[in-house]
Amino acid sequence: MEPVLNLNNDILGLVFILLCLGLTLFFTYLSRRGSAIHIRDIPAFRHFHREVDLAVEAGKRLHVSLGRGSINDLQGGAALIGLTILDRCAREASNSDRPPVTTSGNGVITILSQDTLQSTYRSLAAEERYDPTNARLTGLAPMAYAAGAMPAIHDEHINANFLAGHIGTEVALLSEASERSRSLSVAGTDDLTGQAVLYATCDEPLLGEELYAAGAYLGANPAHIASLRMQDILRWALVAVIVLGAVLKLLGIVP
Amino acid sequence: MKKILPVANAIVAVVSGLLVLLGYFFPGVFGGLQSMLIGWAIILAAFALLLGIFNLGMVHWKKIGKDGSGSIYSIVLLISLAVTIVLAGLNGPTGTLSLWIFNTFQVPVEISLLAILAVVLVYAAARLVLRRPSWYTILFLVTVVVVLLGSVPLFFLGEVAVLTSVRGWLAQVPAVAGARGLLLGVALGTVATGLRILMGVDRAYDG
């Protein structure tokens, strides 16, 4: 019985991935043709551009913290979104005297953040602005990561902090440091406990799927808007399946 | 060369990602390749960690060069890093000296930070009313208080049955429903991010 169930699960998984891919490609095609879509207002992203402009005008820096998730497992997804935010920060603050500073709690994410900064400056023909010490590994354990990132918030003339990645309850310490240095904190994590803490401590929390919408809101690429539409459609489909399953179970039709 | 390298990087990343993904669905055909690629990734991650530690040393070396009140912390960090690497290298990660360093310095510091975290959370909860005055905030704080009171025996009263059962209901029904909703969003977001990487749209490896 077990192998048959596994086979069914594998086929369902493959069909789901292909469905996601098909919808993303379809909406990317529509998006490239200029078909406009409406996306709801998320205050955190509305404030992003304002904070970047303020940082450039005030000669201050932006801080992007990418968490301590490993790229080898599910936690890497949130960190990759953080890299997209880092790319947008570096682009929009490219004429600032102080380039953005990045902290992370994982070696691979640190290398990727250095790579992102370097490729962004290269694409802007400003490679001389790239400094590898602006992308830092602060610590590998949760508290070590937070303890290493806090001095960056306090001491580096930070105007706004974007915390995006796999970050647990230690995010409260980063938000507190941000509050004390009178800088804005915009934060999102894939960790449920971290999200609960964010709601209480952060200026602009990004909950659930909001973090993954960052690319679409920050104007990264048409594929980001397409994948946002794909997520919306599949979310409603999954909600319908869950409700249907609950009703069928309530009626005793399924065990 | 500057144009060829990013394209080659993208091809290697997309093909590797596809092979690992197919390995989950067709383990008989792609399972071996998948294991090999994941093994390579783990080795590369270990080297990335070494580079990250080198980067940490560089950052603090530069800080020492600058005049500032924080440079003493950088000196302490660099000395601690060097001593730990030497002792753990000679003694092994589970040797007496390595464990002494861990138990004497790392554990107390982390526990102290956890204690600070508890204070920060209480302070943040109190400040939330001023920061975000809304019905959701009041609901959030009332829920926190009820769950806390229902989790511990109270002075003179012991365990209050009503609070314990309300806490149980909150933890099992609304909290689980909310958590599932959030996890659904996170899962779909992770799939979308992975697909953009496989499509070569998001390239964090472009440098």
Side-chain angles (χ1 to χ4, degrees), chain A residues 10 14 20 81 83 112 114-115 122 131-133 135-137 140-141 143 169 172 179 195 199-203 212 221 224 227 231, chain B residues 25 45 49 51-52 55-56 59 62 110 114 117 121 124 127-128 131-132 136 182 186 189-190 192-193 195-196 201-202 204-207:
Chain A
D10 285 350
L14 186 61
C20 291
I81 296 296
L83 290 172
L112 287 176
Q114 287 177 339
D115 218 31
R122 184 183 295 153
D131 178 358
T133 58
R136 303 166 189 170
L137 177 75
L140 300 174
M143 289 300 152
T169 48
E179 180 85 19
Q195 290 186 29
Y199 182 78
T201 59
C202 182
D203 294 320
Y212 296 89
N221 198 297
H224 284 265
S227 64
Q231 288 172 63
Chain B
F25 300 120
L49 177 61
L51 286 173
N55 167 271
L56 180 72
V59 169
K62 270 177 77 173
E110 295 223 351
L114 272 173
L117 185 64
L121 285 176
R127 208 177 44 197
L128 191 61
R131 186 207 294 265
R132 218 176 291 144
Y136 285 117
L182 289 173
V186 169
T190 306
T193 307
L195 283 176
R196 286 199 303 270
V201 176
D202 274 359
Y205 44 80
D206 230 6

Short mmCIF file of all heavy atoms in Angstrom, two decimals, chain A residues 10 14 20 81 83 112 114-115 122 131-133 135-137 140-141 143 169 172 179 195 199-203 212 221 224 227 231, chain B residues 25 45 49 51-52 55-56 59 62 110 114 117 121 124 127-128 131-132 136 182 186 189-190 192-193 195-196 201-202 204-207:
data_model
loop_
_atom_site.label_atom_id
_atom_site.label_comp_id
_atom_site.label_asym_id
_atom_site.label_seq_id
_atom_site.Cartn_x
_atom_site.Cartn_y
_atom_site.Cartn_z
N ASP A 10 3.84 11.58 -5.43
CA ASP A 10 4.84 12.09 -6.36
C ASP A 10 4.18 12.68 -7.60
O ASP A 10 4.53 13.77 -8.06
CB ASP A 10 5.81 10.98 -6.78
CG ASP A 10 6.79 10.65 -5.66
OD1 ASP A 10 6.82 11.40 -4.67
OD2 ASP A 10 7.51 9.64 -5.78
N LEU A 14 4.25 16.51 -8.84
CA LEU A 14 4.74 16.91 -10.16
C LEU A 14 3.68 17.73 -10.90
O LEU A 14 3.99 18.76 -11.51
CB LEU A 14 5.12 15.65 -10.96
CG LEU A 14 5.78 15.90 -12.32
CD1 LEU A 14 7.08 16.67 -12.17
CD2 LEU A 14 6.02 14.59 -13.05
N CYS A 20 1.96 25.22 -11.46
CA CYS A 20 2.56 26.50 -11.02
C CYS A 20 3.40 27.09 -12.15
O CYS A 20 3.31 28.29 -12.45
CB CYS A 20 3.46 26.28 -9.80
SG CYS A 20 2.59 25.83 -8.32
N ILE A 81 14.41 35.94 -1.44
CA ILE A 81 13.60 37.16 -1.54
C ILE A 81 14.39 38.34 -0.95
O ILE A 81 14.38 39.45 -1.47
CB ILE A 81 12.26 36.99 -0.79
CG1 ILE A 81 11.42 35.90 -1.45
CG2 ILE A 81 11.49 38.29 -0.71
CD1 ILE A 81 10.99 36.20 -2.87
N LEU A 83 17.52 38.67 -1.05
CA LEU A 83 18.52 39.08 -2.05
C LEU A 83 17.89 39.98 -3.12
O LEU A 83 18.54 40.90 -3.62
CB LEU A 83 19.15 37.83 -2.70
CG LEU A 83 20.07 37.01 -1.78
CD1 LEU A 83 20.47 35.71 -2.46
CD2 LEU A 83 21.31 37.80 -1.42
N LEU A 112 26.34 34.87 -1.46
CA LEU A 112 25.33 35.30 -2.45
C LEU A 112 25.04 36.80 -2.32
O LEU A 112 24.80 37.47 -3.32
CB LEU A 112 24.04 34.50 -2.28
CG LEU A 112 24.09 33.05 -2.76
CD1 LEU A 112 22.79 32.34 -2.46
CD2 LEU A 112 24.37 32.98 -4.26
N GLN A 114 27.19 39.08 -1.34
CA GLN A 114 28.33 39.77 -1.95
C GLN A 114 28.20 39.75 -3.47
O GLN A 114 28.42 40.75 -4.15
CB GLN A 114 29.64 39.07 -1.55
CG GLN A 114 30.03 39.31 -0.10
CD GLN A 114 31.28 38.55 0.31
OE1 GLN A 114 31.67 37.57 -0.32
NE2 GLN A 114 31.93 39.01 1.37
N ASP A 115 27.77 38.57 -3.97
CA ASP A 115 27.61 38.40 -5.41
C ASP A 115 26.52 39.32 -5.97
O ASP A 115 26.68 39.92 -7.04
CB ASP A 115 27.25 36.93 -5.67
CG ASP A 115 27.91 36.41 -6.91
OD1 ASP A 115 29.01 36.88 -7.22
OD2 ASP A 115 27.32 35.53 -7.57
N ARG A 122 27.94 46.20 -11.03
CA ARG A 122 28.50 46.00 -12.37
C ARG A 122 27.48 46.40 -13.43
O ARG A 122 27.81 47.08 -14.41
CB ARG A 122 28.89 44.52 -12.57
CG ARG A 122 29.57 44.27 -13.90
CD ARG A 122 29.87 42.82 -14.09
NE ARG A 122 30.84 42.35 -13.11
CZ ARG A 122 30.93 41.10 -12.68
NH1 ARG A 122 30.07 40.20 -13.12
NH2 ARG A 122 31.85 40.74 -11.82
N ASP A 131 32.21 46.84 -2.17
CA ASP A 131 33.14 46.54 -1.08
C ASP A 131 32.67 45.24 -0.42
O ASP A 131 31.56 45.20 0.13
CB ASP A 131 33.13 47.70 -0.07
CG ASP A 131 34.03 47.45 1.12
OD1 ASP A 131 34.65 46.36 1.19
OD2 ASP A 131 34.12 48.33 2.00
N PRO A 132 33.48 44.17 -0.49
CA PRO A 132 33.01 42.88 0.05
C PRO A 132 32.67 42.93 1.54
O PRO A 132 31.88 42.12 2.02
CB PRO A 132 34.17 41.92 -0.21
CG PRO A 132 35.34 42.76 -0.58
CD PRO A 132 34.82 44.05 -1.09
N THR A 133 33.25 43.90 2.27
CA THR A 133 32.95 43.94 3.71
C THR A 133 31.59 44.59 4.00
O THR A 133 31.19 44.67 5.16
CB THR A 133 34.06 44.69 4.49
OG1 THR A 133 34.18 45.99 3.96
CG2 THR A 133 35.38 43.96 4.41
N ALA A 135 28.95 43.18 2.90
CA ALA A 135 28.09 41.99 3.06
C ALA A 135 28.78 41.10 4.08
O ALA A 135 29.86 40.57 3.81
CB ALA A 135 27.92 41.28 1.73
N ARG A 136 28.17 40.95 5.24
CA ARG A 136 28.88 40.34 6.37
C ARG A 136 28.18 39.12 6.94
O ARG A 136 26.95 39.09 7.02
CB ARG A 136 29.00 41.35 7.51
CG ARG A 136 29.68 42.61 7.09
CD ARG A 136 29.47 43.68 8.10
NE ARG A 136 29.96 44.95 7.57
CZ ARG A 136 29.75 46.11 8.14
NH1 ARG A 136 29.07 46.18 9.26
NH2 ARG A 136 30.22 47.20 7.59
N LEU A 137 29.00 38.17 7.36
CA LEU A 137 28.50 37.05 8.18
C LEU A 137 28.64 37.51 9.64
O LEU A 137 29.72 37.88 10.07
CB LEU A 137 29.35 35.81 7.94
CG LEU A 137 29.01 34.58 8.78
CD1 LEU A 137 27.74 33.92 8.25
CD2 LEU A 137 30.14 33.57 8.76
N LEU A 140 26.50 32.33 13.42
CA LEU A 140 25.77 31.18 12.86
C LEU A 140 24.59 30.75 13.74
O LEU A 140 23.58 30.29 13.25
CB LEU A 140 26.72 30.01 12.64
CG LEU A 140 27.87 30.30 11.68
CD1 LEU A 140 28.84 29.14 11.65
CD2 LEU A 140 27.36 30.59 10.28
N ALA A 141 24.73 30.89 15.05
CA ALA A 141 23.61 30.55 15.95
C ALA A 141 22.64 31.73 16.00
O ALA A 141 23.05 32.87 15.72
CB ALA A 141 24.16 30.26 17.34
N MET A 143 21.21 33.63 18.33
CA MET A 143 21.56 34.79 19.15
C MET A 143 22.88 35.43 18.69
O MET A 143 23.03 36.66 18.77
CB MET A 143 21.67 34.38 20.63
CG MET A 143 20.35 34.05 21.25
SD MET A 143 19.23 35.46 21.19
CE MET A 143 17.66 34.65 21.14
N THR A 169 12.76 34.18 16.75
CA THR A 169 12.38 35.18 17.76
C THR A 169 13.47 36.23 17.97
O THR A 169 13.18 37.31 18.48
CB THR A 169 12.10 34.50 19.12
OG1 THR A 169 13.18 33.62 19.38
CG2 THR A 169 10.81 33.72 19.12
N ALA A 172 13.28 40.13 17.39
CA ALA A 172 12.87 41.17 18.36
C ALA A 172 14.07 42.02 18.76
O ALA A 172 13.93 43.24 18.93
CB ALA A 172 12.25 40.52 19.60
N GLU A 179 14.67 50.38 16.67
CA GLU A 179 13.87 51.38 17.39
C GLU A 179 14.77 52.35 18.16
O GLU A 179 14.56 53.56 18.14
CB GLU A 179 12.95 50.63 18.38
CG GLU A 179 12.05 51.50 19.20
CD GLU A 179 10.76 51.86 18.47
OE1 GLU A 179 10.43 51.16 17.51
OE2 GLU A 179 10.14 52.86 18.86
N GLN A 195 7.16 35.46 12.95
CA GLN A 195 6.11 36.35 12.45
C GLN A 195 5.28 36.92 13.60
O GLN A 195 4.89 38.09 13.58
CB GLN A 195 5.21 35.61 11.46
CG GLN A 195 5.92 35.30 10.15
CD GLN A 195 4.98 34.69 9.13
OE1 GLN A 195 3.80 34.93 9.11
NE2 GLN A 195 5.55 33.89 8.24
N TYR A 199 5.01 40.97 14.53
CA TYR A 199 3.78 41.75 14.65
C TYR A 199 3.85 42.70 15.85
O TYR A 199 3.36 43.83 15.79
CB TYR A 199 2.58 40.80 14.79
CG TYR A 199 1.26 41.54 14.85
CD1 TYR A 199 0.67 42.04 13.70
CD2 TYR A 199 0.63 41.77 16.06
CE1 TYR A 199 -0.51 42.76 13.75
CE2 TYR A 199 -0.56 42.48 16.13
CZ TYR A 199 -1.12 42.97 14.97
OH TYR A 199 -2.30 43.68 15.02
N ALA A 200 4.50 42.22 16.93
CA ALA A 200 4.55 43.03 18.15
C ALA A 200 5.70 44.04 18.13
O ALA A 200 5.60 45.08 18.75
CB ALA A 200 4.68 42.12 19.36
N THR A 201 6.79 43.73 17.43
CA THR A 201 7.99 44.55 17.62
C THR A 201 8.36 45.43 16.42
O THR A 201 9.08 46.41 16.60
CB THR A 201 9.21 43.66 17.93
OG1 THR A 201 9.39 42.75 16.84
CG2 THR A 201 9.02 42.89 19.21
N CYS A 202 7.90 45.08 15.25
CA CYS A 202 8.42 45.72 14.03
C CYS A 202 7.52 46.88 13.58
O CYS A 202 6.31 46.84 13.79
CB CYS A 202 8.50 44.64 12.97
SG CYS A 202 9.16 45.20 11.45
N ASP A 203 8.11 47.89 12.94
CA ASP A 203 7.31 49.02 12.42
C ASP A 203 6.38 48.55 11.31
O ASP A 203 5.21 48.90 11.27
CB ASP A 203 8.23 50.11 11.87
CG ASP A 203 9.06 50.76 12.96
OD1 ASP A 203 8.50 50.98 14.04
OD2 ASP A 203 10.25 51.00 12.74
N TYR A 212 6.97 37.26 0.17
CA TYR A 212 7.28 36.69 -1.14
C TYR A 212 6.78 37.56 -2.29
O TYR A 212 7.07 37.28 -3.45
CB TYR A 212 6.70 35.27 -1.24
CG TYR A 212 7.34 34.34 -0.24
CD1 TYR A 212 6.82 34.20 1.04
CD2 TYR A 212 8.50 33.65 -0.55
CE1 TYR A 212 7.42 33.38 1.98
CE2 TYR A 212 9.10 32.84 0.39
CZ TYR A 212 8.56 32.71 1.64
OH TYR A 212 9.19 31.90 2.56
N ASN A 221 10.76 42.54 -11.76
CA ASN A 221 10.67 41.79 -13.01
C ASN A 221 9.22 41.41 -13.29
O ASN A 221 8.47 41.16 -12.34
CB ASN A 221 11.51 40.51 -12.82
CG ASN A 221 11.87 39.86 -14.11
OD1 ASN A 221 10.99 39.43 -14.83
ND2 ASN A 221 13.15 39.80 -14.39
N HIS A 224 7.89 38.32 -11.49
CA HIS A 224 7.50 38.42 -10.08
C HIS A 224 6.00 38.69 -9.97
O HIS A 224 5.32 38.10 -9.13
CB HIS A 224 8.29 39.55 -9.39
CG HIS A 224 9.70 39.17 -9.09
ND1 HIS A 224 10.10 38.68 -7.88
CD2 HIS A 224 10.81 39.19 -9.85
CE1 HIS A 224 11.39 38.43 -7.90
NE2 HIS A 224 11.85 38.74 -9.09
N SER A 227 4.18 35.51 -10.93
CA SER A 227 4.17 34.47 -9.89
C SER A 227 3.24 34.88 -8.74
O SER A 227 2.67 34.02 -8.07
CB SER A 227 5.58 34.18 -9.38
OG SER A 227 6.13 35.29 -8.77
N GLN A 231 0.25 32.60 -7.35
CA GLN A 231 0.04 32.29 -5.93
C GLN A 231 -1.40 32.61 -5.51
O GLN A 231 -2.01 31.83 -4.76
CB GLN A 231 1.00 33.11 -5.07
CG GLN A 231 2.44 32.67 -5.15
CD GLN A 231 3.33 33.66 -4.41
OE1 GLN A 231 3.22 33.83 -3.21
NE2 GLN A 231 4.21 34.32 -5.13
N PHE B 25 10.92 13.36 -8.04
CA PHE B 25 9.77 12.71 -8.66
C PHE B 25 10.13 11.40 -9.37
O PHE B 25 9.31 10.51 -9.48
CB PHE B 25 9.11 13.69 -9.66
CG PHE B 25 8.63 14.95 -9.02
CD1 PHE B 25 9.11 16.19 -9.39
CD2 PHE B 25 7.69 14.89 -8.00
CE1 PHE B 25 8.68 17.35 -8.79
CE2 PHE B 25 7.24 16.05 -7.38
CZ PHE B 25 7.73 17.27 -7.77
N ALA B 45 28.94 24.54 0.56
CA ALA B 45 28.42 25.32 1.71
C ALA B 45 29.46 25.37 2.82
O ALA B 45 29.60 26.40 3.49
CB ALA B 45 27.12 24.71 2.21
N LEU B 49 31.21 28.72 4.31
CA LEU B 49 31.29 29.07 5.74
C LEU B 49 32.69 29.57 6.09
O LEU B 49 32.84 30.59 6.79
CB LEU B 49 30.94 27.85 6.58
CG LEU B 49 31.04 28.00 8.09
CD1 LEU B 49 30.09 29.08 8.57
CD2 LEU B 49 30.72 26.69 8.79
N LEU B 51 34.78 30.98 4.03
CA LEU B 51 34.91 32.32 3.44
C LEU B 51 34.16 33.36 4.27
O LEU B 51 34.63 34.50 4.43
CB LEU B 51 34.36 32.32 2.00
CG LEU B 51 35.23 31.65 0.95
CD1 LEU B 51 34.49 31.56 -0.38
CD2 LEU B 51 36.54 32.42 0.76
N GLY B 52 33.00 32.95 4.81
CA GLY B 52 32.22 33.85 5.66
C GLY B 52 32.99 34.23 6.91
O GLY B 52 32.98 35.39 7.33
N ASN B 55 35.57 36.62 5.99
CA ASN B 55 34.92 37.93 5.80
C ASN B 55 34.67 38.63 7.15
O ASN B 55 34.92 39.83 7.30
CB ASN B 55 33.59 37.71 5.04
CG ASN B 55 32.69 38.92 5.05
OD1 ASN B 55 31.88 39.07 5.96
ND2 ASN B 55 32.80 39.76 4.05
N LEU B 56 34.23 37.84 8.13
CA LEU B 56 33.99 38.39 9.48
C LEU B 56 35.30 38.96 10.05
O LEU B 56 35.32 40.08 10.60
CB LEU B 56 33.48 37.26 10.38
CG LEU B 56 33.16 37.58 11.84
CD1 LEU B 56 31.90 38.42 11.93
CD2 LEU B 56 32.95 36.29 12.64
N VAL B 59 36.14 42.27 8.24
CA VAL B 59 35.30 43.39 8.68
C VAL B 59 35.84 43.97 9.98
O VAL B 59 36.00 45.19 10.13
CB VAL B 59 33.82 42.92 8.86
CG1 VAL B 59 33.00 43.98 9.58
CG2 VAL B 59 33.20 42.59 7.52
N LYS B 62 39.24 45.74 9.68
CA LYS B 62 39.07 47.10 9.18
C LYS B 62 38.58 48.04 10.27
O LYS B 62 38.96 49.21 10.33
CB LYS B 62 38.06 47.12 8.02
CG LYS B 62 38.71 46.90 6.65
CD LYS B 62 37.69 46.86 5.55
CE LYS B 62 37.16 48.23 5.17
NZ LYS B 62 36.29 48.15 3.99
N GLU B 110 24.52 33.35 25.25
CA GLU B 110 23.25 33.11 24.54
C GLU B 110 22.07 33.13 25.52
O GLU B 110 21.00 33.65 25.20
CB GLU B 110 23.32 31.77 23.79
CG GLU B 110 24.35 31.80 22.68
CD GLU B 110 23.87 31.17 21.41
OE1 GLU B 110 22.81 30.55 21.41
OE2 GLU B 110 24.59 31.29 20.39
N LEU B 114 18.83 35.58 25.57
CA LEU B 114 17.45 35.07 25.64
C LEU B 114 16.67 35.79 26.75
O LEU B 114 15.48 36.10 26.58
CB LEU B 114 17.46 33.57 25.91
CG LEU B 114 17.53 32.66 24.68
CD1 LEU B 114 17.70 31.22 25.09
CD2 LEU B 114 16.28 32.81 23.83
N LEU B 117 15.79 39.06 25.52
CA LEU B 117 14.70 38.89 24.55
C LEU B 117 13.34 38.87 25.25
O LEU B 117 12.37 39.50 24.78
CB LEU B 117 14.92 37.58 23.78
CG LEU B 117 13.97 37.27 22.65
CD1 LEU B 117 14.09 38.29 21.55
CD2 LEU B 117 14.24 35.88 22.09
N LEU B 121 10.39 41.57 24.58
CA LEU B 121 9.05 41.18 24.11
C LEU B 121 7.96 41.77 24.99
O LEU B 121 6.93 42.23 24.49
CB LEU B 121 8.94 39.65 24.05
CG LEU B 121 9.67 39.00 22.88
CD1 LEU B 121 9.58 37.50 22.96
CD2 LEU B 121 9.08 39.47 21.55
N ALA B 124 7.80 45.41 24.18
CA ALA B 124 7.21 45.62 22.85
C ALA B 124 5.70 45.44 22.90
O ALA B 124 4.95 46.18 22.26
CB ALA B 124 7.83 44.66 21.84
N ARG B 127 4.19 48.48 24.33
CA ARG B 127 4.33 49.64 23.42
C ARG B 127 3.43 49.51 22.19
O ARG B 127 3.16 50.49 21.49
CB ARG B 127 5.79 49.73 22.99
CG ARG B 127 6.24 51.13 22.66
CD ARG B 127 7.70 51.13 22.34
NE ARG B 127 8.06 50.00 21.46
CZ ARG B 127 9.29 49.58 21.28
NH1 ARG B 127 10.27 50.14 21.90
NH2 ARG B 127 9.56 48.58 20.46
N LEU B 128 2.99 48.27 21.93
CA LEU B 128 2.19 48.00 20.72
C LEU B 128 0.91 48.84 20.68
O LEU B 128 0.47 49.26 19.61
CB LEU B 128 1.86 46.50 20.67
CG LEU B 128 1.28 45.95 19.37
CD1 LEU B 128 2.25 46.14 18.23
CD2 LEU B 128 0.94 44.48 19.53
N ARG B 131 1.94 52.14 19.38
CA ARG B 131 2.46 52.07 18.01
C ARG B 131 1.36 51.78 16.99
O ARG B 131 1.32 52.35 15.91
CB ARG B 131 3.51 50.95 17.94
CG ARG B 131 4.23 50.85 16.61
CD ARG B 131 4.71 49.44 16.40
NE ARG B 131 5.73 49.05 17.37
CZ ARG B 131 7.03 49.13 17.15
NH1 ARG B 131 7.46 49.60 16.02
NH2 ARG B 131 7.89 48.72 18.05
N ARG B 132 0.47 50.84 17.33
CA ARG B 132 -0.54 50.43 16.36
C ARG B 132 -1.90 50.31 17.08
O ARG B 132 -2.37 49.20 17.33
CB ARG B 132 -0.12 49.08 15.78
CG ARG B 132 -0.43 48.95 14.29
CD ARG B 132 0.11 47.65 13.77
NE ARG B 132 1.55 47.60 13.75
CZ ARG B 132 2.28 46.52 14.01
NH1 ARG B 132 1.70 45.40 14.35
NH2 ARG B 132 3.58 46.56 13.94
N TYR B 136 -7.32 44.93 16.42
CA TYR B 136 -6.47 43.74 16.27
C TYR B 136 -5.39 43.71 17.35
O TYR B 136 -5.06 42.65 17.88
CB TYR B 136 -5.80 43.71 14.89
CG TYR B 136 -6.75 43.34 13.78
CD1 TYR B 136 -7.05 44.23 12.76
CD2 TYR B 136 -7.34 42.08 13.76
CE1 TYR B 136 -7.93 43.89 11.74
CE2 TYR B 136 -8.23 41.73 12.75
CZ TYR B 136 -8.52 42.64 11.75
OH TYR B 136 -9.38 42.30 10.76
N LEU B 182 -1.00 30.92 7.19
CA LEU B 182 0.32 31.54 6.97
C LEU B 182 1.27 30.58 6.27
O LEU B 182 1.98 30.95 5.34
CB LEU B 182 0.93 31.97 8.31
CG LEU B 182 0.27 33.16 9.02
CD1 LEU B 182 0.85 33.37 10.40
CD2 LEU B 182 0.43 34.44 8.19
N VAL B 186 3.36 30.86 2.80
CA VAL B 186 4.82 30.68 2.76
C VAL B 186 5.19 29.58 1.76
O VAL B 186 6.14 29.73 0.96
CB VAL B 186 5.36 30.33 4.18
CG1 VAL B 186 6.80 29.88 4.14
CG2 VAL B 186 5.23 31.54 5.11
N GLY B 189 4.72 30.81 -1.76
CA GLY B 189 5.78 31.78 -2.04
C GLY B 189 7.11 31.10 -2.31
O GLY B 189 7.86 31.49 -3.21
N THR B 190 7.39 30.04 -1.54
CA THR B 190 8.65 29.32 -1.72
C THR B 190 8.67 28.61 -3.08
O THR B 190 9.69 28.63 -3.78
CB THR B 190 8.85 28.30 -0.57
OG1 THR B 190 8.73 28.99 0.67
CG2 THR B 190 10.20 27.64 -0.64
N ALA B 192 7.00 29.55 -5.75
CA ALA B 192 7.14 30.59 -6.77
C ALA B 192 8.59 31.07 -6.88
O ALA B 192 9.12 31.25 -7.99
CB ALA B 192 6.23 31.77 -6.43
N THR B 193 9.26 31.22 -5.73
CA THR B 193 10.67 31.66 -5.74
C THR B 193 11.54 30.61 -6.42
O THR B 193 12.40 30.94 -7.25
CB THR B 193 11.15 31.89 -4.29
OG1 THR B 193 10.24 32.76 -3.64
CG2 THR B 193 12.53 32.52 -4.26
N LEU B 195 10.64 28.40 -8.62
CA LEU B 195 10.36 28.35 -10.07
C LEU B 195 11.05 29.51 -10.80
O LEU B 195 11.55 29.33 -11.93
CB LEU B 195 8.85 28.39 -10.32
CG LEU B 195 8.12 27.08 -10.05
CD1 LEU B 195 6.62 27.26 -10.22
CD2 LEU B 195 8.62 25.98 -10.98
N ARG B 196 11.07 30.69 -10.18
CA ARG B 196 11.75 31.83 -10.82
C ARG B 196 13.25 31.56 -10.97
O ARG B 196 13.86 31.95 -11.96
CB ARG B 196 11.50 33.12 -10.03
CG ARG B 196 10.10 33.68 -10.19
CD ARG B 196 10.06 35.15 -9.80
NE ARG B 196 10.53 35.35 -8.45
CZ ARG B 196 9.76 35.32 -7.37
NH1 ARG B 196 8.47 35.12 -7.48
NH2 ARG B 196 10.27 35.51 -6.17
N VAL B 201 15.10 33.62 -14.02
CA VAL B 201 14.67 35.02 -13.88
C VAL B 201 15.37 35.67 -12.69
O VAL B 201 15.92 36.77 -12.80
CB VAL B 201 13.14 35.10 -13.71
CG1 VAL B 201 12.71 36.54 -13.48
CG2 VAL B 201 12.45 34.55 -14.93
N ASP B 202 15.34 34.99 -11.56
CA ASP B 202 16.04 35.47 -10.36
C ASP B 202 17.44 34.87 -10.37
O ASP B 202 17.60 33.66 -10.36
CB ASP B 202 15.32 34.99 -9.09
CG ASP B 202 14.21 35.93 -8.69
OD1 ASP B 202 14.01 36.94 -9.38
OD2 ASP B 202 13.52 35.63 -7.71
N ALA B 204 20.68 35.09 -8.22
CA ALA B 204 21.48 35.57 -7.10
C ALA B 204 22.95 35.20 -7.27
O ALA B 204 23.78 35.53 -6.45
CB ALA B 204 20.96 34.97 -5.80
N TYR B 205 23.26 34.50 -8.38
CA TYR B 205 24.60 33.96 -8.58
C TYR B 205 25.26 34.61 -9.79
O TYR B 205 26.11 34.03 -10.43
CB TYR B 205 24.50 32.44 -8.84
CG TYR B 205 23.38 32.10 -9.80
CD1 TYR B 205 23.55 32.25 -11.16
CD2 TYR B 205 22.15 31.68 -9.32
CE1 TYR B 205 22.52 31.98 -12.03
CE2 TYR B 205 21.12 31.41 -10.19
CZ TYR B 205 21.31 31.55 -11.54
OH TYR B 205 20.28 31.30 -12.40
N ASP B 206 24.89 35.86 -10.08
CA ASP B 206 25.26 36.46 -11.36
C ASP B 206 26.67 37.05 -11.39
O ASP B 206 27.20 37.34 -12.44
CB ASP B 206 24.26 37.56 -11.70
CG ASP B 206 23.74 37.42 -13.10
OD1 ASP B 206 24.09 36.41 -13.72
OD2 ASP B 206 23.01 38.31 -13.55
N GLY B 207 27.24 37.27 -10.20
CA GLY B 207 28.52 38.00 -10.17
C GLY B 207 29.65 37.32 -10.86
O GLY B 207 30.51 37.94 -11.38
#
